Amino acid sequence: MGTVTVSPSLWAVLALALGLLGLWAPYVLSEQPNFIVILADDVGWGDLGANWAETKETPHLDQMAAEGTRFVDFHSAASTCSPSRASLLTGRLGVRNGVTHNFAISSVGGLPLNETTLAEVLRGAGYTTGAVGKWHLGHHGRHHPNSRGFDYYYGIPYSHDMGCTDSPGYNVPPCPPCPRRGTAGRVARKGCYTEVALPLLENATIVEQPVQLGSLAMRYAEAAERFIQRASHSGRPFFLYLALAHMHVPLTPPLPPAPGRGVYGATLGEMDALVGRVKELADRQGKGSTLLWFTGDNGPWAQKCELAGRLGPFVGAWQRQRGGSSAKQTTWEGGHRVPALVYWPGRVPAGRTSHALLSVLDIFPTLVALAGAALPLHRRFDGLDVTPVLFGWSDVGHKVLLHPNSGAAGKVGDIEVLRLAQYKAFYTTGGALACDGSTGPAQRHHPPLIFNLDRDVEEQEPLDTASREYQEVLTAISRAYSQALLDIAADNVSVADYSQDPAAIPCCDVLHVGCRCHGARGAADLPHVEKRTPRLCV
């Protein structure tokens, strides 16, 4: 990928030159495209009907797959929330950008301030930038989205189970509602936040606390629509980062669950409809002017049982035989292989399925290249500019892809699993908490376990260490692993501040139980809340 900044005024000249050379003939870009990145939460590879025939609740996403390109070997950059999101917005793994595990509601820090976000690069290239939905990269002080390159923010600063609400929705185990003044003693329950209500922010203002979860999807869609319309009227290209609450618990289906997949299926259908609405809006602004990229932050949260998503064939059978989950928080395929679609009429081929080895890490350098901007200097990137793959010119992605420990085993953030072509090597294995309550103990492997995913997508039977295939691939894997670790050690590496202070918890009224208040009427103009003095999230 080139690192020369191309001003918007030079796009027509550049496109003409490429066209004359026969390099970009069908994809002449006369202006900077708009970008919409939709990130689903805890979604399974098999939650997309286009991936897994048993799934029937995603007609809009399936239509997007038919009209765009589907990537079936696409991976999150970690198997848990904050690290995966940090990598999307920096193009760098947690061992480089410093974000190796999740931030708390009382976190003082966040994504290190010396890391440059995708929004900052695009804003510097003339884009108007907006983030709607879950943030989870720090909310205190300069870690707030408005200080990380986003002109507009509307959403919850972390996961929507990290605070109590009046209608808690479906969870396993269920959580109690927020306490009220004059009610009986608070109910403490493991895994539930009962002391502080969940806040909803518009920019730095808390507009509602606790959040009304039942209408959250609708309000996210409306906020996205407002941002797109305002950006379109401004005449500037836009970048919208839409980080959905779906399919993380608690689930709040819009209608009583129907027989079959029940609560999860109804909620999946709601997510699908939301994505369809955003796609339709983007098309109305000028079909072909907006690239829409849909993917997930990590695999399903298996300990949530019937409220967790589908893995498809990526069941991590070797681990399951030894206990624990092989999904979220693990380095098995179910933890990091996620659905991915790219829709861009007239640019990205329709009805195509790509088997290129790609990652959420690639979103940063690819969008930067398409915007004609330059990558930040003095750091190395794990993502690739995969424009040739998007345009159908190539089906070659990463030769090597690293999978960091994400909570199930080993030190979080460390690289102890890597992919080389169809081979996947584990120097450490472990299972996360499963629905049955089991966990798989961490195990070290020297020499590593190696699976051939072309023959064994279920990761059931590692190669025989005495086989010729194992010996041949072990040499290549060992070399690739050593080179990767040396590259990281030589990089400009950041360190995140994971310290906590109760004063950093977003609270719109400290005098009320659980910080309860209804915030202020802002640009969102929420008609169902009373007007109060705004409190800033500082």
Side-chain angles (χ1 to χ4, degrees), residues 258-297:
R261 291 198 71 190
V263 171
Y264 192 89
T267 310
L268 184 61
E270 181 185 53
M271 181 191 78
D272 178 74
L274 192 161
V275 175
R277 177 174 172 176
V278 173
K279 172 180 174 288
E280 181 182 357
L281 176 64
D283 283 343
R284 287 206 306 267
Q285 303 305 313
K287 198 164 186 176
S289 63
T290 302
L291 180 156
L292 196 159
W293 199 321
F294 172 87
T295 188
D297 70 336

Side-chain angles (χ1 to χ4, degrees), residues 108-461:
V108 173
L111 175 65
L113 299 177
N114 59 307
E115 290 290 325
T116 304
T117 70
L118 176 58
E120 289 170 324
V121 175
L122 293 179
R123 188 163 67 176
Y127 280 69
T128 183
T129 57
V132 173
K134 175 176 174 178
W135 179 240
H136 215 172
L137 292 175
H139 52 271
H140 186 66
R142 294 174 62 200
H143 295 287
H144 183 281
N146 288 150
S147 298
R148 305 313 308 265
F150 289 100
D151 300 316
Y152 177 72
Y153 176 64
Y154 183 88
I156 296 170
Y158 28 72
S159 296
H160 68 287
D161 64 338
M162 295 173 68
C164 63
T165 63
D166 290 336
S167 300
Y170 295 87
N171 203 342
V172 176
C175 289
C178 282
R180 291 179 179 271
R181 182 166 292 164
T183 59
R186 301 178 187 183
V187 178
R189 193 165 297 168
K190 186 178 180 181
C192 297
Y193 289 73
T194 58
E195 298 296 315
V196 181
L198 188 69
L200 179 67
L201 276 61
E202 183 165 37
N203 294 319
T205 301
I206 299 175
V207 295
E208 188 176 74
Q209 193 171 14
V211 177
Q212 295 185 27
L213 289 179
S215 62
L216 187 62
M218 175 189 70
R219 286 186 281 170
Y220 278 178
E222 291 171 350
E225 186 169 354
R226 286 194 302 272
F227 171 78
I228 291 172
Q229 290 174 341
R230 285 198 299 262
S232 299
H233 293 156
S234 75
R236 295 167 60 194
F238 67 81
F239 165 52
L240 172 62
Y241 171 49
L242 177 56
L244 304 177
H246 304 80
M247 297 296 300
H248 198 294
V249 294
L251 304 183
T252 55
L255 299 171
R261 291 198 71 190
V263 171
Y264 192 89
T267 310
L268 184 61
E270 181 185 53
M271 181 191 78
D272 178 74
L274 192 161
V275 175
R277 177 174 172 176
V278 173
K279 172 180 174 288
E280 181 182 357
L281 176 64
D283 283 343
R284 287 206 306 267
Q285 303 305 313
K287 198 164 186 176
S289 63
T290 302
L291 180 156
L292 196 159
W293 199 321
F294 172 87
T295 188
D297 70 336
N298 47 247
W301 200 359
Q303 73 183 69
K304 298 301 178 178
C305 302
E306 71 274 11
L307 302 183
R310 283 189 165 125
L311 295 170
F314 306 106
V315 297
W318 188 93
Q319 183 61 58
R320 283 193 173 184
Q321 293 164 5
R322 290 157 179 80
S325 156
S326 57
K328 178 179 177 176
Q329 299 179 317
T330 79
T331 48
W332 300 97
E333 289 295 289
H336 53 74
R337 192 183 292 228
V338 290
L341 305 171
V342 175
Y343 169 78
W344 193 6
R347 305 285 200 272
V348 170
R352 175 172 171 254
T353 297
S354 169
H355 295 269
L357 178 59
L358 303 185
S359 168
V360 71
L361 293 157
D362 304 327
I363 293 175
F364 184 109
T366 302
L367 299 194
V368 167
L370 289 170
L375 287 177
L377 301 175
H378 310 303
R379 68 202 66 192
R380 301 180 185 184
F381 292 85
D382 298 291
L384 304 174
D385 172 11
V386 295
T387 301
V389 181
L390 297 192
F391 287 171
W393 303 338
S394 167
D395 207 32
V396 177
H398 290 259
K399 295 179 180 178
V400 176
L401 190 61
L402 308 177
H403 298 299
N405 296 336
S406 297
K411 181 182 177 183
V412 288
D414 280 5
I415 306 298
E416 296 183 309
V417 176
L418 78 155
R419 174 85 175 269
L420 176 66
Q422 74 268 36
Y423 295 100
K424 187 176 178 184
F426 290 81
Y427 291 89
T428 293
T429 57
L433 183 63
C435 176
D436 62 7
S438 68
T439 56
Q443 292 182 249
R444 301 282 297 173
H445 302 279
H446 290 288
L449 296 183
I450 300 177
F451 295 84
N452 183 333
L453 296 181
D454 277 355
R455 298 196 302 261
D456 184 15
V457 295
E458 296 181 347
E459 294 173 299
Q460 182 169 5
E461 188 67 36

